[in-house]
mmCIF file of all heavy atoms in Angstrom:
data_model
loop_
_atom_site.group_PDB
_atom_site.id
_atom_site.type_symbol
_atom_site.label_atom_id
_atom_site.label_comp_id
_atom_site.label_asym_id
_atom_site.label_seq_id
_atom_site.Cartn_x
_atom_site.Cartn_y
_atom_site.Cartn_z
ATOM 1 N N ASN A 31 -8.353 -8.232 11.718
ATOM 2 C CA ASN A 31 -7.531 -8.803 12.727
ATOM 3 C C ASN A 31 -5.986 -8.800 12.330
ATOM 4 O O ASN A 31 -5.200 -9.469 12.871
ATOM 5 C CB ASN A 31 -7.964 -10.327 12.899
ATOM 6 C CG ASN A 31 -8.065 -11.119 11.680
ATOM 7 O OD1 ASN A 31 -7.561 -10.629 10.613
ATOM 8 N ND2 ASN A 31 -8.613 -12.224 11.757
ATOM 9 N N TYR A 32 -5.762 -8.106 11.321
ATOM 10 C CA TYR A 32 -4.273 -7.876 10.844
ATOM 11 C C TYR A 32 -4.046 -6.494 10.559
ATOM 12 O O TYR A 32 -4.776 -5.822 9.668
ATOM 13 C CB TYR A 32 -4.099 -8.772 9.631
ATOM 14 C CG TYR A 32 -2.676 -8.681 9.102
ATOM 15 C CD1 TYR A 32 -1.570 -8.977 9.875
ATOM 16 C CD2 TYR A 32 -2.495 -8.206 7.771
ATOM 17 C CE1 TYR A 32 -0.236 -8.916 9.311
ATOM 18 C CE2 TYR A 32 -1.018 -8.090 7.226
ATOM 19 C CZ TYR A 32 -0.106 -8.402 8.053
ATOM 20 O OH TYR A 32 1.232 -8.283 7.540
ATOM 21 N N TYR A 36 3.446 0.252 6.664
ATOM 22 C CA TYR A 36 4.244 0.337 5.620
ATOM 23 C C TYR A 36 5.010 1.809 5.519
ATOM 24 O O TYR A 36 4.419 2.749 5.896
ATOM 25 C CB TYR A 36 3.576 0.193 4.164
ATOM 26 C CG TYR A 36 3.043 -1.235 4.115
ATOM 27 C CD1 TYR A 36 1.743 -1.544 4.550
ATOM 28 C CD2 TYR A 36 3.721 -2.166 3.354
ATOM 29 C CE1 TYR A 36 1.173 -2.856 4.356
ATOM 30 C CE2 TYR A 36 3.303 -3.405 3.200
ATOM 31 C CZ TYR A 36 1.968 -3.758 3.719
ATOM 32 O OH TYR A 36 1.532 -5.121 3.496
ATOM 33 N N GLN A 38 7.048 4.292 2.961
ATOM 34 C CA GLN A 38 7.394 4.535 1.583
ATOM 35 C C GLN A 38 8.318 5.760 1.481
ATOM 36 O O GLN A 38 7.992 6.917 1.801
ATOM 37 C CB GLN A 38 6.026 5.022 0.827
ATOM 38 C CG GLN A 38 6.217 5.187 -0.649
ATOM 39 C CD GLN A 38 4.933 5.636 -1.351
ATOM 40 O OE1 GLN A 38 3.989 6.158 -0.767
ATOM 41 N NE2 GLN A 38 4.924 5.225 -2.643
ATOM 42 N N GLY A 41 9.909 8.123 -4.233
ATOM 43 C CA GLY A 41 10.130 7.373 -5.544
ATOM 44 C C GLY A 41 10.138 5.866 -5.443
ATOM 45 O O GLY A 41 10.547 5.242 -6.409
ATOM 46 N N LYS A 42 9.711 5.433 -4.348
ATOM 47 C CA LYS A 42 9.708 3.841 -4.139
ATOM 48 C C LYS A 42 8.273 3.398 -3.811
ATOM 49 O O LYS A 42 7.476 4.129 -3.401
ATOM 50 C CB LYS A 42 10.682 3.458 -3.200
ATOM 51 C CG LYS A 42 12.137 3.801 -3.508
ATOM 52 C CD LYS A 42 13.045 3.263 -2.458
ATOM 53 C CE LYS A 42 14.595 3.480 -2.862
ATOM 54 N NZ LYS A 42 15.460 2.931 -1.730
ATOM 55 N N GLY A 43 8.121 2.117 -3.850
ATOM 56 C CA GLY A 43 6.889 1.592 -3.454
ATOM 57 C C GLY A 43 6.910 1.258 -1.869
ATOM 58 O O GLY A 43 7.932 1.312 -1.233
ATOM 59 N N PRO A 44 5.778 1.150 -1.291
ATOM 60 C CA PRO A 44 5.748 0.991 0.155
ATOM 61 C C PRO A 44 6.319 -0.364 0.544
ATOM 62 O O PRO A 44 6.344 -1.340 -0.287
ATOM 63 C CB PRO A 44 4.109 0.947 0.446
ATOM 64 C CG PRO A 44 3.575 1.637 -0.681
ATOM 65 C CD PRO A 44 4.413 1.429 -1.839
ATOM 66 N N GLN A 45 6.868 -0.341 1.789
ATOM 67 C CA GLN A 45 7.523 -1.570 2.267
ATOM 68 C C GLN A 45 7.074 -1.927 3.708
ATOM 69 O O GLN A 45 7.146 -0.963 4.528
ATOM 70 C CB GLN A 45 9.126 -1.407 2.166
ATOM 71 C CG GLN A 45 9.738 -2.713 2.605
ATOM 72 C CD GLN A 45 11.277 -2.599 2.198
ATOM 73 O OE1 GLN A 45 11.841 -1.565 1.829
ATOM 74 N NE2 GLN A 45 12.005 -3.769 2.161
ATOM 75 N N LEU A 46 6.786 -3.134 4.077
ATOM 76 C CA LEU A 46 6.374 -3.398 5.368
ATOM 77 C C LEU A 46 7.463 -3.195 6.346
ATOM 78 O O LEU A 46 8.603 -3.525 6.181
ATOM 79 C CB LEU A 46 5.924 -4.864 5.408
ATOM 80 C CG LEU A 46 5.387 -5.418 6.785
ATOM 81 C CD1 LEU A 46 3.969 -4.906 7.005
ATOM 82 C CD2 LEU A 46 5.556 -6.872 6.890
ATOM 83 N N ASP A 49 4.055 -5.383 11.724
ATOM 84 C CA ASP A 49 2.689 -5.619 11.592
ATOM 85 C C ASP A 49 2.277 -6.241 13.004
ATOM 86 O O ASP A 49 3.003 -6.729 13.777
ATOM 87 C CB ASP A 49 2.352 -6.649 10.458
ATOM 88 C CG ASP A 49 3.100 -7.903 10.566
ATOM 89 O OD1 ASP A 49 3.711 -8.256 11.582
ATOM 90 O OD2 ASP A 49 3.125 -8.652 9.549
ATOM 91 N N ARG A 51 -1.153 -8.614 14.931
ATOM 92 C CA ARG A 51 -2.366 -9.378 14.716
ATOM 93 C C ARG A 51 -3.201 -9.193 16.054
ATOM 94 O O ARG A 51 -2.697 -8.900 17.075
ATOM 95 C CB ARG A 51 -2.086 -10.840 14.444
ATOM 96 C CG ARG A 51 -1.242 -11.012 13.229
ATOM 97 C CD ARG A 51 -1.101 -12.378 12.734
ATOM 98 N NE ARG A 51 -0.261 -12.403 11.530
ATOM 99 C CZ ARG A 51 -0.002 -13.445 10.717
ATOM 100 N NH1 ARG A 51 -0.756 -14.587 11.000
ATOM 101 N NH2 ARG A 51 0.795 -13.399 9.738
ATOM 102 N N VAL A 87 6.875 8.573 4.023
ATOM 103 C CA VAL A 87 5.457 8.550 4.293
ATOM 104 C C VAL A 87 5.110 7.081 4.802
ATOM 105 O O VAL A 87 5.515 6.026 4.371
ATOM 106 C CB VAL A 87 4.672 8.652 2.996
ATOM 107 C CG1 VAL A 87 3.170 8.576 3.155
ATOM 108 C CG2 VAL A 87 4.947 10.032 2.383
ATOM 109 N N PHE A 89 2.081 4.429 6.042
ATOM 110 C CA PHE A 89 0.675 3.966 5.864
ATOM 111 C C PHE A 89 0.346 2.862 6.880
ATOM 112 O O PHE A 89 1.053 1.886 7.038
ATOM 113 C CB PHE A 89 0.522 3.373 4.489
ATOM 114 C CG PHE A 89 0.615 4.396 3.393
ATOM 115 C CD1 PHE A 89 1.768 4.560 2.622
ATOM 116 C CD2 PHE A 89 -0.443 5.210 3.065
ATOM 117 C CE1 PHE A 89 1.864 5.495 1.645
ATOM 118 C CE2 PHE A 89 -0.379 6.165 2.058
ATOM 119 C CZ PHE A 89 0.794 6.269 1.335
ATOM 120 N N SER A 93 -7.006 -5.445 7.752
ATOM 121 C CA SER A 93 -7.704 -6.401 6.934
ATOM 122 C C SER A 93 -8.262 -7.414 7.874
ATOM 123 O O SER A 93 -7.769 -7.683 8.979
ATOM 124 C CB SER A 93 -6.774 -7.009 5.891
ATOM 125 O OG SER A 93 -5.651 -7.593 6.419
ATOM 126 N N GLY A 94 -9.099 -8.278 7.379
ATOM 127 C CA GLY A 94 -9.710 -9.277 8.197
ATOM 128 C C GLY A 94 -10.189 -10.511 7.399
ATOM 129 O O GLY A 94 -9.451 -11.086 6.860
ATOM 130 N N GLY A 95 -11.545 -10.660 7.282
ATOM 131 C CA GLY A 95 -12.023 -11.859 6.652
ATOM 132 C C GLY A 95 -11.680 -11.977 5.146
ATOM 133 O O GLY A 95 -11.550 -12.952 4.541
ATOM 134 N N SER A 96 -11.649 -10.746 4.580
ATOM 135 C CA SER A 96 -11.359 -10.633 3.120
ATOM 136 C C SER A 96 -9.852 -10.581 2.956
ATOM 137 O O SER A 96 -9.097 -10.410 3.896
ATOM 138 C CB SER A 96 -11.945 -9.441 2.452
ATOM 139 O OG SER A 96 -11.318 -8.263 2.783
ATOM 140 N N TYR A 97 -9.392 -10.692 1.827
ATOM 141 C CA TYR A 97 -7.958 -10.628 1.525
ATOM 142 C C TYR A 97 -7.506 -9.199 1.092
ATOM 143 O O TYR A 97 -6.550 -9.071 0.351
ATOM 144 C CB TYR A 97 -7.475 -11.664 0.614
ATOM 145 C CG TYR A 97 -8.536 -12.081 -0.284
ATOM 146 C CD1 TYR A 97 -8.986 -11.292 -1.371
ATOM 147 C CD2 TYR A 97 -9.158 -13.379 -0.164
ATOM 148 C CE1 TYR A 97 -9.949 -11.761 -2.162
ATOM 149 C CE2 TYR A 97 -10.208 -13.772 -0.901
ATOM 150 C CZ TYR A 97 -10.582 -12.926 -1.955
ATOM 151 O OH TYR A 97 -11.629 -13.358 -2.817
ATOM 152 N N ILE A 98 -8.399 -8.185 1.214
ATOM 153 C CA ILE A 98 -8.228 -6.858 0.690
ATOM 154 C C ILE A 98 -7.951 -5.986 1.921
ATOM 155 O O ILE A 98 -8.859 -5.580 2.669
ATOM 156 C CB ILE A 98 -9.433 -6.403 -0.098
ATOM 157 C CG1 ILE A 98 -9.834 -7.461 -1.053
ATOM 158 C CG2 ILE A 98 -9.204 -5.019 -0.682
ATOM 159 C CD1 ILE A 98 -8.869 -7.839 -2.097
ATOM 160 N N PRO A 99 -6.762 -5.460 2.004
ATOM 161 C CA PRO A 99 -6.407 -4.529 3.111
ATOM 162 C C PRO A 99 -6.971 -3.126 2.775
ATOM 163 O O PRO A 99 -7.041 -2.756 1.571
ATOM 164 C CB PRO A 99 -4.887 -4.508 3.182
ATOM 165 C CG PRO A 99 -4.498 -4.878 1.893
ATOM 166 C CD PRO A 99 -5.490 -5.875 1.298
ATOM 167 N N PHE A 101 -6.235 0.881 3.394
ATOM 168 C CA PHE A 101 -5.244 1.786 3.805
ATOM 169 C C PHE A 101 -5.617 3.084 4.429
ATOM 170 O O PHE A 101 -6.629 3.591 3.935
ATOM 171 C CB PHE A 101 -4.238 1.897 2.788
ATOM 172 C CG PHE A 101 -3.279 0.715 2.353
ATOM 173 C CD1 PHE A 101 -3.779 -0.128 1.466
ATOM 174 C CD2 PHE A 101 -2.092 0.681 2.786
ATOM 175 C CE1 PHE A 101 -3.105 -1.341 1.114
ATOM 176 C CE2 PHE A 101 -1.258 -0.407 2.505
ATOM 177 C CZ PHE A 101 -1.717 -1.367 1.586
ATOM 178 N N GLY A 102 -4.896 3.547 5.255
ATOM 179 C CA GLY A 102 -5.089 4.944 5.737
ATOM 180 C C GLY A 102 -4.546 5.795 4.656
ATOM 181 O O GLY A 102 -3.828 5.389 3.646
ATOM 182 N N ARG A 103 -4.639 7.125 4.811
ATOM 183 C CA ARG A 103 -4.223 8.100 3.824
ATOM 184 C C ARG A 103 -2.737 8.439 3.877
ATOM 185 O O ARG A 103 -2.318 9.190 3.052
ATOM 186 C CB ARG A 103 -5.016 9.345 3.786
ATOM 187 C CG ARG A 103 -6.501 9.066 3.408
ATOM 188 C CD ARG A 103 -7.265 10.338 3.168
ATOM 189 N NE ARG A 103 -8.599 10.051 2.564
ATOM 190 C CZ ARG A 103 -9.430 10.951 2.050
ATOM 191 N NH1 ARG A 103 -9.002 12.175 1.927
ATOM 192 N NH2 ARG A 103 -10.602 10.582 1.568
ATOM 193 N N GLY A 104 -2.049 8.019 4.830
ATOM 194 C CA GLY A 104 -0.710 8.249 4.983
ATOM 195 C C GLY A 104 -0.246 9.411 5.857
ATOM 196 O O GLY A 104 -1.126 10.381 6.072
ATOM 197 N N TYR B 31 -1.907 -13.814 -4.971
ATOM 198 C CA TYR B 31 -2.803 -12.620 -4.978
ATOM 199 C C TYR B 31 -1.992 -11.467 -5.562
ATOM 200 O O TYR B 31 -0.874 -11.210 -5.167
ATOM 201 C CB TYR B 31 -3.328 -12.183 -3.663
ATOM 202 C CG TYR B 31 -4.142 -13.238 -3.011
ATOM 203 C CD1 TYR B 31 -4.261 -13.331 -1.610
ATOM 204 C CD2 TYR B 31 -4.849 -14.234 -3.718
ATOM 205 C CE1 TYR B 31 -4.981 -14.298 -0.962
ATOM 206 C CE2 TYR B 31 -5.678 -15.197 -3.039
ATOM 207 C CZ TYR B 31 -5.712 -15.228 -1.685
ATOM 208 O OH TYR B 31 -6.480 -16.212 -1.098
ATOM 209 N N TYR B 33 -2.482 -7.079 -6.909
ATOM 210 C CA TYR B 33 -3.382 -5.991 -6.792
ATOM 211 C C TYR B 33 -2.756 -4.850 -7.592
ATOM 212 O O TYR B 33 -1.582 -4.628 -7.728
ATOM 213 C CB TYR B 33 -3.360 -5.497 -5.313
ATOM 214 C CG TYR B 33 -3.569 -6.575 -4.255
ATOM 215 C CD1 TYR B 33 -2.514 -7.461 -3.899
ATOM 216 C CD2 TYR B 33 -4.772 -6.721 -3.575
ATOM 217 C CE1 TYR B 33 -2.724 -8.438 -2.921
ATOM 218 C CE2 TYR B 33 -4.941 -7.652 -2.660
ATOM 219 C CZ TYR B 33 -3.874 -8.491 -2.335
ATOM 220 O OH TYR B 33 -4.071 -9.474 -1.294
ATOM 221 N N TYR B 35 -2.990 -0.620 -7.431
ATOM 222 C CA TYR B 35 -3.404 0.517 -6.774
ATOM 223 C C TYR B 35 -3.044 1.789 -7.532
ATOM 224 O O TYR B 35 -2.183 1.771 -8.266
ATOM 225 C CB TYR B 35 -2.698 0.646 -5.355
ATOM 226 C CG TYR B 35 -3.032 -0.453 -4.267
ATOM 227 C CD1 TYR B 35 -2.190 -1.628 -4.184
ATOM 228 C CD2 TYR B 35 -4.101 -0.245 -3.448
ATOM 229 C CE1 TYR B 35 -2.626 -2.512 -3.365
ATOM 230 C CE2 TYR B 35 -4.350 -1.201 -2.506
ATOM 231 C CZ TYR B 35 -3.651 -2.375 -2.412
ATOM 232 O OH TYR B 35 -3.936 -3.355 -1.488
ATOM 233 N N GLN B 37 -2.005 5.822 -6.494
ATOM 234 C CA GLN B 37 -1.717 6.739 -5.377
ATOM 235 C C GLN B 37 -1.707 8.226 -5.805
ATOM 236 O O GLN B 37 -1.016 8.640 -6.723
ATOM 237 C CB GLN B 37 -0.304 6.467 -4.769
ATOM 238 C CG GLN B 37 0.011 7.207 -3.649
ATOM 239 C CD GLN B 37 1.396 6.848 -2.933
ATOM 240 O OE1 GLN B 37 2.278 6.355 -3.625
ATOM 241 N NE2 GLN B 37 1.561 7.057 -1.684
ATOM 242 N N GLY B 40 -2.499 12.917 -0.846
ATOM 243 C CA GLY B 40 -3.528 13.082 0.169
ATOM 244 C C GLY B 40 -4.589 11.969 0.196
ATOM 245 O O GLY B 40 -5.469 11.924 1.031
ATOM 246 N N MET B 41 -4.455 11.116 -0.801
ATOM 247 C CA MET B 41 -5.582 10.063 -0.946
ATOM 248 C C MET B 41 -5.147 8.661 -0.570
ATOM 249 O O MET B 41 -5.883 7.783 -0.589
ATOM 250 C CB MET B 41 -6.034 9.977 -2.357
ATOM 251 C CG MET B 41 -6.715 11.341 -2.803
ATOM 252 S SD MET B 41 -8.115 11.813 -1.819
ATOM 253 C CE MET B 41 -9.218 10.536 -2.333
ATOM 254 N N GLY B 42 -3.785 8.521 -0.251
ATOM 255 C CA GLY B 42 -3.310 7.154 0.103
ATOM 256 C C GLY B 42 -3.377 6.249 -1.014
ATOM 257 O O GLY B 42 -3.126 6.631 -2.257
ATOM 258 N N LEU B 43 -3.564 5.061 -0.747
ATOM 259 C CA LEU B 43 -3.523 3.880 -1.838
ATOM 260 C C LEU B 43 -4.902 3.507 -1.981
ATOM 261 O O LEU B 43 -5.569 2.971 -1.132
ATOM 262 C CB LEU B 43 -2.627 2.755 -1.365
ATOM 263 C CG LEU B 43 -1.059 3.067 -1.223
ATOM 264 C CD1 LEU B 43 -0.395 1.988 -0.357
ATOM 265 C CD2 LEU B 43 -0.470 3.135 -2.565
ATOM 266 N N LEU B 45 -7.459 0.890 -4.174
ATOM 267 C CA LEU B 45 -7.390 -0.336 -4.854
ATOM 268 C C LEU B 45 -8.316 -0.159 -6.158
ATOM 269 O O LEU B 45 -9.479 0.181 -6.184
ATOM 270 C CB LEU B 45 -8.034 -1.418 -4.014
ATOM 271 C CG LEU B 45 -7.931 -2.840 -4.648
ATOM 272 C CD1 LEU B 45 -6.487 -3.350 -4.980
ATOM 273 C CD2 LEU B 45 -8.732 -3.794 -3.782
ATOM 274 N N TYR B 48 -8.037 -6.347 -8.355
ATOM 275 C CA TYR B 48 -7.198 -7.352 -7.777
ATOM 276 C C TYR B 48 -7.556 -8.799 -8.394
ATOM 277 O O TYR B 48 -8.506 -8.952 -9.018
ATOM 278 C CB TYR B 48 -7.289 -7.328 -6.266
ATOM 279 C CG TYR B 48 -8.614 -7.801 -5.775
ATOM 280 C CD1 TYR B 48 -8.843 -9.117 -5.390
ATOM 281 C CD2 TYR B 48 -9.796 -6.884 -5.649
ATOM 282 C CE1 TYR B 48 -10.106 -9.476 -4.905
ATOM 283 C CE2 TYR B 48 -10.932 -7.176 -5.203
ATOM 284 C CZ TYR B 48 -11.176 -8.507 -4.758
ATOM 285 O OH TYR B 48 -12.501 -8.842 -4.283
ATOM 286 N N VAL B 50 -7.089 -13.057 -7.339
ATOM 287 C CA VAL B 50 -6.780 -14.167 -6.250
ATOM 288 C C VAL B 50 -6.087 -15.371 -6.894
ATOM 289 O O VAL B 50 -5.855 -16.314 -6.171
ATOM 290 C CB VAL B 50 -8.060 -14.417 -5.476
ATOM 291 C CG1 VAL B 50 -8.527 -13.225 -4.735
ATOM 292 C CG2 VAL B 50 -9.029 -15.074 -6.248
ATOM 293 N N PHE B 90 0.763 1.457 -8.515
ATOM 294 C CA PHE B 90 1.586 0.504 -7.806
ATOM 295 C C PHE B 90 0.873 -0.865 -8.058
ATOM 296 O O PHE B 90 -0.289 -1.125 -7.801
ATOM 297 C CB PHE B 90 1.714 0.718 -6.330
ATOM 298 C CG PHE B 90 2.664 1.924 -6.162
ATOM 299 C CD1 PHE B 90 2.107 3.190 -5.917
ATOM 300 C CD2 PHE B 90 4.076 1.676 -6.122
ATOM 301 C CE1 PHE B 90 3.022 4.182 -5.611
ATOM 302 C CE2 PHE B 90 4.894 2.679 -5.886
ATOM 303 C CZ PHE B 90 4.465 4.040 -5.591
ATOM 304 N N THR B 94 0.642 -10.699 -2.676
ATOM 305 C CA THR B 94 0.807 -11.392 -1.353
ATOM 306 C C THR B 94 0.761 -12.819 -1.707
ATOM 307 O O THR B 94 0.123 -13.384 -2.645
ATOM 308 C CB THR B 94 -0.336 -11.114 -0.264
ATOM 309 O OG1 THR B 94 -1.583 -11.446 -0.880
ATOM 310 C CG2 THR B 94 -0.299 -9.571 -0.016
ATOM 311 N N LEU B 96 -0.722 -15.447 0.406
ATOM 312 C CA LEU B 96 -1.863 -16.128 0.773
ATOM 313 C C LEU B 96 -3.052 -15.095 0.924
ATOM 314 O O LEU B 96 -4.211 -15.583 0.670
ATOM 315 C CB LEU B 96 -1.692 -16.857 2.154
ATOM 316 C CG LEU B 96 -0.750 -18.001 2.079
ATOM 317 C CD1 LEU B 96 -0.660 -18.598 3.444
ATOM 318 C CD2 LEU B 96 -1.253 -19.050 1.049
ATOM 319 N N GLY B 97 -2.982 -13.918 1.152
ATOM 320 C CA GLY B 97 -4.075 -12.970 1.402
ATOM 321 C C GLY B 97 -3.975 -12.123 2.487
ATOM 322 O O GLY B 97 -2.907 -11.537 2.712
ATOM 323 N N SER B 98 -5.005 -11.991 3.351
ATOM 324 C CA SER B 98 -5.053 -10.814 4.266
ATOM 325 C C SER B 98 -4.060 -10.975 5.392
ATOM 326 O O SER B 98 -3.846 -9.950 6.098
ATOM 327 C CB SER B 98 -6.500 -10.685 4.822
ATOM 328 O OG SER B 98 -6.850 -11.840 5.572
ATOM 329 N N TYR B 99 -3.561 -12.141 5.745
ATOM 330 C CA TYR B 99 -2.711 -12.150 6.915
ATOM 331 C C TYR B 99 -1.165 -12.145 6.572
ATOM 332 O O TYR B 99 -0.358 -12.611 7.334
ATOM 333 C CB TYR B 99 -3.081 -13.391 7.695
ATOM 334 C CG TYR B 99 -4.475 -13.541 8.026
ATOM 335 C CD1 TYR B 99 -5.309 -14.615 7.519
ATOM 336 C CD2 TYR B 99 -5.096 -12.609 8.797
ATOM 337 C CE1 TYR B 99 -6.622 -14.661 7.769
ATOM 338 C CE2 TYR B 99 -6.501 -12.666 9.048
ATOM 339 C CZ TYR B 99 -7.157 -13.580 8.538
ATOM 340 O OH TYR B 99 -8.557 -13.864 8.751
ATOM 341 N N ASN B 100 -0.973 -11.755 5.290
ATOM 342 C CA ASN B 100 0.420 -11.745 4.947
ATOM 343 C C ASN B 100 0.882 -10.413 4.354
ATOM 344 O O ASN B 100 -0.018 -9.654 3.802
ATOM 345 C CB ASN B 100 0.589 -12.782 3.868
ATOM 346 C CG ASN B 100 0.639 -14.178 4.503
ATOM 347 O OD1 ASN B 100 1.619 -14.735 4.996
ATOM 348 N ND2 ASN B 100 -0.524 -14.751 4.531
ATOM 349 N N GLU B 101 2.118 -10.079 4.427
ATOM 350 C CA GLU B 101 2.746 -8.953 3.890
ATOM 351 C C GLU B 101 2.391 -8.752 2.409
ATOM 352 O O GLU B 101 2.502 -9.628 1.627
ATOM 353 C CB GLU B 101 4.225 -9.045 4.165
ATOM 354 C CG GLU B 101 5.041 -7.864 3.604
ATOM 355 C CD GLU B 101 6.604 -8.187 3.776
ATOM 356 O OE1 GLU B 101 6.897 -9.181 4.398
ATOM 357 O OE2 GLU B 101 7.303 -7.354 3.258
ATOM 358 N N GLN B 102 2.215 -7.513 2.064
ATOM 359 C CA GLN B 102 2.205 -7.123 0.609
ATOM 360 C C GLN B 102 3.432 -6.655 0.098
ATOM 361 O O GLN B 102 4.180 -5.856 0.870
ATOM 362 C CB GLN B 102 1.054 -6.046 0.364
ATOM 363 C CG GLN B 102 -0.322 -6.513 0.413
ATOM 364 C CD GLN B 102 -1.343 -5.436 -0.127
ATOM 365 O OE1 GLN B 102 -1.267 -4.336 0.423
ATOM 366 N NE2 GLN B 102 -2.094 -5.784 -1.013
ATOM 367 N N PHE B 103 3.813 -7.075 -1.061
ATOM 368 C CA PHE B 103 5.165 -6.690 -1.581
ATOM 369 C C PHE B 103 4.739 -5.829 -2.802
ATOM 370 O O PHE B 103 4.065 -6.186 -3.761
ATOM 371 C CB PHE B 103 5.939 -8.038 -2.075
ATOM 372 C CG PHE B 103 6.421 -8.768 -0.925
ATOM 373 C CD1 PHE B 103 5.543 -9.700 -0.485
ATOM 374 C CD2 PHE B 103 7.686 -8.591 -0.497
ATOM 375 C CE1 PHE B 103 6.119 -10.504 0.629
ATOM 376 C CE2 PHE B 103 8.186 -9.403 0.487
ATOM 377 C CZ PHE B 103 7.396 -10.311 1.008
ATOM 378 N N PHE B 104 5.365 -4.568 -2.792
ATOM 379 C CA PHE B 104 4.921 -3.547 -3.829
ATOM 380 C C PHE B 104 6.067 -3.468 -4.901
ATOM 381 O O PHE B 104 7.215 -3.656 -4.524
ATOM 382 C CB PHE B 104 4.723 -2.198 -3.141
ATOM 383 C CG PHE B 104 3.465 -2.088 -2.503
ATOM 384 C CD1 PHE B 104 3.383 -2.543 -1.169
ATOM 385 C CD2 PHE B 104 2.325 -1.508 -3.013
ATOM 386 C CE1 PHE B 104 2.142 -2.343 -0.432
ATOM 387 C CE2 PHE B 104 1.139 -1.367 -2.339
ATOM 388 C CZ PHE B 104 0.982 -1.918 -1.086
ATOM 389 N N GLY B 105 5.622 -3.163 -6.081
ATOM 390 C CA GLY B 105 6.519 -2.747 -7.061
ATOM 391 C C GLY B 105 7.057 -1.347 -7.029
ATOM 392 O O GLY B 105 6.602 -0.582 -6.048
ATOM 393 N N PRO B 106 7.910 -0.857 -7.854
ATOM 394 C CA PRO B 106 8.504 0.427 -7.760
ATOM 395 C C PRO B 106 7.562 1.526 -8.294
ATOM 396 O O PRO B 106 7.860 2.769 -8.058
ATOM 397 C CB PRO B 106 9.733 0.387 -8.604
ATOM 398 C CG PRO B 106 9.443 -0.687 -9.620
ATOM 399 C CD PRO B 106 8.522 -1.695 -8.836
ATOM 400 N N GLY B 107 6.491 1.163 -8.847
ATOM 401 C CA GLY B 107 5.499 2.181 -9.399
ATOM 402 C C GLY B 107 5.731 2.613 -10.833
ATOM 403 O O GLY B 107 6.884 2.516 -11.422
#
Side-chain angles (χ1 to χ4, degrees):
Chain A
N31 56 11
Y32 177 62
Y36 291 85
Q38 184 180 26
K42 297 184 178 181
Q45 186 170 11
L46 182 78
D49 58 13
R51 301 192 183 188
V87 177
F89 291 99
S93 62
S96 75
Y97 27 72
I98 309 301
F101 285 86
R103 294 195 172 191
Chain B
Y31 300 154
Y33 313 78
Y35 292 93
Q37 183 176 28
M41 298 298 292
L43 293 161
L45 183 65
Y48 63 98
V50 301
F90 287 99
T94 61
L96 293 175
S98 64
Y99 308 118
N100 288 273
E101 172 183 1
Q102 280 191 310
F103 292 83
F104 285 84

